[in-house]
């Protein structure tokens, strides 16, 4: 094992440090966020900092870096209060990654992905996605340490194939083809190992 | 596709909703957090809400639910200001999951995992982990929508095998055996698809 301390990390070349630190927090969710600006222009961008915040009320969180390509999405969410989260499958991974370029106009057209609308959400879904989540803005906080913006949103709608939902409510996202990512740019499929029952001190671990 | 709206979700049985909503944000990081209380008692707990916040300074975030088994970890971090993050491999996954039970005393002993200490961090690392991260508390914020606590911490030390670090700083966490999880209790290995270069509008996507 090699140990890197704060001084080593601070002395890294910027790009090297970005790759290194981004890899450390493990595998991440990766999804496309669909939104619209006040004029109605559609936007689509890939994000890897989306996470679970609570089940009741159903809340998700997204971290936004200030002054990056993802700024349009944040502005759209603050302006129009609604957006969608769309899981990414291998079949349209390249198109999904390509949304991160600095396009003028809609990334749907530019990258060859298709919009889909529901009656309940103003923002566009990605037709190709097998798990689609409609969200409504709830609150924004600023991380003092680096001015990152944290958006908390409530889940308004979930569109999904029923056959991937288990009897206990667990959604088999691996069966749905959902990918994961690591670092800035590495995409991975998954292979299920096991589900384990709620752990108790006096009980052997059970698979479910 | 079946659409579930807010009313459907609110009407779900509690356990069903917890599984359902926890699955929606996609694959998550999963790691063991090592800490110590003010009296020096070691603690180890499994977490799936750890995420990247920034590379310079190197920051990570962790979400804590109030009044859950993870409370000890939060109290220890607030009391002693230091903790470790340890990636989980298949070889000790059962032991890692078992830390979530309500143990009295140290989960290291109870679950059969071993402590390892460095000169730079007061909290214990997990000897079995091939990626070990030492962290120092930076700030805490409360999510208004559900009183979830967000802890931001700075990375003080990274202990890792050098041969999994690429020339560009990217750490091959799949090669390291790091797992991912979905929902509350489903664990997965990964299979790399590709790394893609920084996307530009006028350029075909390149693998790196």
């Amino acid at each position: 094992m090699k140990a890197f301390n704060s001084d080593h990390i601070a002395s890294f070349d910027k790009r090297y440090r970005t790759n290194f630190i981004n890899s450390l927090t493990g595998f991440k969710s990766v999804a496309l966020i669909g939104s619209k600006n006040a004029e109605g222009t559609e936007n689509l961008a890939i994000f890897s900092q989306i996470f679970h915040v609570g089940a009741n009320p159903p809340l998700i969180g997204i971290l936004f870096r200030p002054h990056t390509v993802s700024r349009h999405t944040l502005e759209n969410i603050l302006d129009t209060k609604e957006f969608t989260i769309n899981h990414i499958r291998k079949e349209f991974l390249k198109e999904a990654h390509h949304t991160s370029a600095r396009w003028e106009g809609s990334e749907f057209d530019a990258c060859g992905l298709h919009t889909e609308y529901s009656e309940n959400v103003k923002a566009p879904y990605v037709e190709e996605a097998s798990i689609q989540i409609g969200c409504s803005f709830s609150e924004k906080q600023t991380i003092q340490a680096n001015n990152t913006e944290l958006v908390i949103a409530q889940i308004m709608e979930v569109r999904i194939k029923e056959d991937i939902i288990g009897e206990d409510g667990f959604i088999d996202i691996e069966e749905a083809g959902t990918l994961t990512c690591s670092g800035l740019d590495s995409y991975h499929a998954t292979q299920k190992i096991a589900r384990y029952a709620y752990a108790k001190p006096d009980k052997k671990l059970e698979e479910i």
Side-chain angles (χ1 to χ4, degrees), chain A:
Chain A
M1 299 280 257
K2 164 107 175 157
F4 299 90
N5 64 27
S6 301
D7 291 341
H8 294 131
I9 294 169
S11 73
F12 286 165
D13 164 76
K14 182 178 182 239
R15 187 76 192 161
Y16 189 96
R17 182 174 51 237
T18 302
N19 280 317
F20 186 91
I21 299 296
N22 266 278
S23 309
L24 285 178
T25 40
F27 289 100
K28 302 185 272 192
S29 65
V30 60
L32 287 163
I33 296 188
S35 64
K36 260 187 183 176
N37 69 14
E39 287 75 45
T41 304
E42 293 157 342
N43 187 283
L44 191 66
I46 191 164
F47 278 84
S48 67
Q49 280 157 296
I50 302 174
F51 44 88
H52 174 78
V53 172
N56 189 24
L59 298 170
I60 58 109
I62 311 168
L63 278 177
F64 291 89
R65 307 229 45 184
H67 312 302
T68 70
V69 287
S70 49
R71 196 86 193 280
H72 281 160
T73 301
L74 177 58
E75 285 166 7
N76 290 355
I77 291 173
L78 297 177
D79 283 352
T80 63
K81 310 294 183 200
E82 295 189 5
F83 62 98
T84 70
I85 296 173
N86 306 270
H87 285 215
I88 297 170
R89 293 161 55 91
K90 195 177 174 180
E91 289 75 9
F92 60 94
L93 171 59
K94 285 186 182 174
E95 290 82 353
H97 184 80
H98 220 177
T99 62
S100 61
R102 291 170 193 270
W103 299 102
E104 316 249 330
S106 167
E107 290 82 4
F108 281 97
D109 298 336
C111 300
L113 292 166
H114 299 88
T115 59
E116 188 170 312
Y117 280 90
S118 122
E119 284 176 10
N120 303 313
V121 182
K122 281 174 281 183
Y125 287 111
V126 176
E127 188 188 299
E128 287 79 359
S130 52
I131 298 180
Q132 305 172 337
I133 306 160
C135 300
S136 164
F137 173 80
S138 174
E139 66 185 86
K140 181 173 83 69
Q141 297 199 18
T142 303
I143 309 301
Q144 299 307 313
N146 71 347
N147 292 321
T148 295
E149 305 282 12
L150 169 65
V151 165
I152 304 293
Q154 183 149 348
I155 294 171
M156 303 163 63
E157 183 175 69
V158 177
R159 291 152 56 95
I160 193 171
K161 281 192 185 138
E162 269 188 289
D163 59 5
I164 58 165
I165 309 173
E167 278 179 21
D168 63 354
F170 174 78
I171 302 168
D172 191 337
I173 63 174
E174 180 170 298
E175 177 68 26
T178 298
L179 301 181
T180 178
C181 76
S182 76
L184 290 171
D185 48 30
S186 186
Y187 300 96
H188 307 251
T190 64
Q191 229 169 355
K192 186 171 173 177
I193 298 172
R195 285 184 72 193
Y196 293 117
Y198 188 79
K200 295 185 177 180
D202 53 352
K203 256 180 87 178
K204 204 167 171 283
L205 218 55
E206 272 177 36
E207 282 199 31
I208 51 176

